[in-house]
Amino acid sequence: MPGPTRGFLGRSRPARDQRLPPGQYDVGADWPVLTAEPTPRISPETWSITVAGNVETPTTWDWDGVHALPRSEYRGDIHCVTTWSKFDTRFAGVSLDALWEVARPTPEGQYVMATSKSGYTTNLPLEDLTGGKAWLVWEFDGQPLSVEHGGPVRLLVPHLYFWKSAKWVTKLDVLKRDQQGFWERNGYHDRGDPWRQQRYQGDD
């Protein structure tokens, strides 16, 4: 008995890229601009980053000061809760570990609230911002980070959904207890792991 025809079986589907978390698609060369707040205009000369709260040494770095810290790069993928993923990105800046080494979070400090110049906030466990997992970045693909994508400096936490990588970041407050940021108060998940599809409150 002859086998089924090609048309009956349908076309075979290409294998799914193993770098894609569940529910995501490859955006290719594009990088969508998504912003919850008005875009501020910040010159490098006026920008600064402060680490405060439950730390031994609250510290503020200006543009020159943060550039004096050891340079670090991230090369890899990023994932947005709106279901796009972008492969093989290249960012440059400084690992947050260099800031923690100076500010020294206390044992009670277990969470961080990141605040942007625009007033945007997002909360993260401190453990997601240590051990080479998070950066302050000011370059993308060898060029200054554009203002639309958070320049002059944004937070980069690539293992979590991208709303956690706060644009135009100016402050990191180390907290004893978790406090929800902007999107978390509006229904998004408190952590946001793409591989567990932690998009909304109540997701595992």
Side-chain angles (χ1 to χ4, degrees), residues 3-123:
T5 65
R6 182 193 301 266
F8 184 80
L9 287 175
R11 296 181 180 178
S12 61
R13 295 182 179 179
R16 179 177 174 84
D17 195 310
Q18 295 301 305
R19 294 175 295 174
L20 277 177
Q24 298 290 114
Y25 72 94
D26 176 9
V27 76
D30 195 14
W31 185 5
V33 176
L34 301 173
T35 302
E37 66 275 34
T39 299
R41 301 289 169 173
I42 310 166
S43 67
E45 294 77 18
T46 62
W47 175 86
S48 65
I49 182 74
T50 297
V51 176
N54 288 267
V55 296
E56 294 181 14
T57 309
T59 306
T60 297
W61 291 264
D62 62 12
W63 182 257
D64 291 336
V66 80
H67 277 70
L69 297 171
R71 179 183 171 89
S72 181
E73 292 191 355
Y74 169 74
R75 298 189 180 212
D77 310 330
I78 56 176
H79 311 286
C80 182
V81 71
T82 60
T83 73
W84 60 261
S85 292
K86 185 171 179 62
F87 295 148
D88 303 320
T89 66
R90 181 164 62 96
F91 291 90
V94 61
S95 170
L96 285 192
D97 292 328
L99 278 66
W100 304 135
E101 185 176 347
V102 174
R104 299 192 302 278
T106 66
E108 294 82 10
Q110 297 296 314
Y111 298 93
V112 173
M113 183 69 78
T115 302
S116 300
K117 179 71 171 179
S118 63
Y120 175 84
T121 55
T122 190
N123 56 303

Side-chain angles (χ1 to χ4, degrees), residues 144-188:
L145 186 65
S146 68
V147 64
E148 292 80 8
H149 287 298
V153 180
R154 75 176 297 154
L155 185 62
L156 178 66
V157 192
H159 67 286
L160 300 179
Y161 282 127
F162 221 49
W163 89 80
K164 293 293 186 177
S165 296
K167 297 179 179 181
W168 316 299
V169 65
T170 58
K171 192 173 185 182
L172 300 172
D173 276 306
V174 180
L175 309 174
K176 293 181 180 179
R177 290 175 293 277
D178 198 13
Q179 299 178 19
Q180 292 182 323
F182 174 81
W183 280 119
E184 295 79 15
R185 292 192 303 271
N186 285 279
Y188 276 23

